[in-house]
Amino acid sequence: LPKIARGSLYKRVLQEREKDASRGQTQIVNATIKEIQILERSSNRIAANVKLNYQDKRYNSSGEIISETLIPSLKVKYVLGRNKGLWQLVDYISGG
């Protein structure tokens, strides 16, 4: 993950997983891309609107599902940037 996402996004994911672990919870996320529309493209930046099938499940320490989210058509705007020849996820805006 640190190779494909900028530091701030990577740290956010680590903090979320640490919070889950402190509660004895795990989360499984499944997402499938349905559609991609490129909004902007340059030598150092790409912005795209993406439609996803999205589902997540949160489990307690006994393996029981304690919450579930299903969004059959989630819209997310992704922004990728290139720095030192490496493309990375810079930001994303859910619902965008």
Side-chain angles (χ1 to χ4, degrees):
L1 189 59
K3 289 185 180 183
I4 61 169
R6 291 269 168 99
S8 60
L9 295 177
Y10 175 66
K11 287 177 187 175
R12 186 183 330 165
V13 170
L14 287 180
Q15 289 171 345
E16 290 172 0
R17 298 299 65 86
E18 288 172 1
K19 188 176 174 182
D20 288 344
S22 71
R23 295 178 177 164
Q25 299 176 354
T26 57
Q27 183 178 26
I28 296 178
V29 176
N30 290 303
T32 304
I33 296 172
K34 293 173 29 175
E35 183 180 316
I36 297 175
Q37 176 190 15
I38 302 296
L39 302 173
E40 178 184 333
R41 186 184 318 196
S42 72
S43 60
N44 292 316
R45 177 183 163 95
I46 297 173
N49 280 339
V50 178
K51 281 188 184 177
L52 306 168
N53 284 335
Y54 176 89
Q55 179 182 31
D56 70 43
K57 293 182 183 179
R58 186 173 296 278
Y59 297 86
N60 64 17
S61 58
S62 301
E64 299 168 329
I65 296 173
I66 55 174
S67 69
E68 183 175 7
T69 304
L70 177 63
I71 305 172
S73 189
L74 176 63
K75 295 178 183 178
V76 183
K77 180 179 180 180
Y78 289 102
V79 178
L80 298 123
R82 185 164 64 177
N83 186 21
K84 298 179 184 174
L86 180 65
W87 284 98
Q88 290 185 307
L89 181 63
V90 174
D91 199 9
Y92 66 93
I93 304 160
S94 187

